[in-house]
Amino acid sequence: MDNQLTHEASAFINFRNYKFQDLRSHGYRWVDIKHLRIPAESDDAQELLAALIGHEQFRDDYAGGGVLLEGSRHGPYWLSLITPDVYETVSREKSTHILWGWANKFEDVPARLEADLQQEVFDRLAAAERIYYLSGLGDEAIHDWGRVHEDFHEFVLIDRSAGRITLLVAADD
């Protein structure tokens, strides 16, 4: 499949925009969500992952530079070292556990943030047919300034009923 994914929408949740009891508990955390429309005939998950990796929206260092069409970085990693086989299939339960643990690591998130996370993140996890987690990349995959992210969690959600693949990145820096 040539890259037939089309960018549909994006959402960004910045924890600094919410009132925590301890003002430092936002921890410079954020969630970036990119939705891409998938072709109706697409049915191979590995092909969809490859198309996502090849898409311009994937060329984001998540460190303020945004999407760079000729970029060589993806989050903390060298883009050239990310392939479909470095993603592992994970359950809803495991992905939910990882993300809630990350979100609540300093204190429970405020109610308004919890509602926004539920709508933008956890409801999408619940609707996904398949969930993939970026893993298996060792230290050699981290680019020259990639350690600006203290935590970096990346999930790819495939929801064929909605005709969508979602790139969900939760990180702090």
Side-chain angles (χ1 to χ4, degrees), residues 96-161:
T96 298
H97 177 76
I98 290 168
L99 287 167
W100 273 126
W102 167 82
N104 290 315
K105 73 179 179 178
F106 298 121
E107 68 177 70
D108 289 346
V109 296
R112 194 168 67 93
L113 175 55
E114 182 176 353
D116 289 347
L117 289 170
Q118 185 63 49
Q119 178 181 346
E120 292 295 331
V121 175
F122 296 101
D123 288 351
R124 295 184 193 288
L125 285 171
E129 174 187 314
R130 304 280 309 257
I131 302 169
Y132 293 90
Y133 185 52
L134 181 62
S135 63
L137 293 169
D139 284 342
E140 68 279 355
I142 296 175
H143 63 71
D144 47 350
W145 47 267
R147 298 206 190 273
V148 298
H149 302 289
E150 185 174 317
D151 283 323
F152 186 87
H153 300 287
E154 178 175 313
F155 295 88
V156 175
L157 317 176
I158 297 175
D159 184 352
R160 283 190 180 83
S161 66

Side-chain angles (χ1 to χ4, degrees), residues 7 12 15 22 24 37 41 47 49 70 74 92-93 103 105 107 114 125 135 138 145 152 162 173:
H7 184 237
F12 188 79
F15 281 40
D22 179 340
R24 297 168 298 185
R37 176 86 27 217
E41 70 279 356
E47 285 181 10
L49 287 170
E70 300 300 320
H74 174 75
R92 278 181 196 79
E93 294 78 18
K105 73 179 179 178
E107 68 177 70
E114 182 176 353
L125 285 171
S135 63
W145 47 267
F152 186 87
D173 39 48

Side-chain angles (χ1 to χ4, degrees), residues 55-112:
H55 196 277
E56 66 185 32
Q57 289 295 315
F58 199 78
R59 298 180 183 319
D60 194 333
D61 59 29
Y62 297 103
V67 173
L68 302 171
L69 299 182
E70 300 300 320
S72 61
R73 294 173 179 88
H74 174 75
Y77 306 113
W78 290 111
L79 180 62
S80 62
L81 298 178
I82 300 175
T83 61
D85 62 323
V86 298
Y87 286 88
E88 71 174 279
T89 304
V90 294
S91 67
R92 278 181 196 79
E93 294 78 18
K94 181 175 180 177
S95 56
T96 298
H97 177 76
I98 290 168
L99 287 167
W100 273 126
W102 167 82
N104 290 315
K105 73 179 179 178
F106 298 121
E107 68 177 70
D108 289 346
V109 296
R112 194 168 67 93

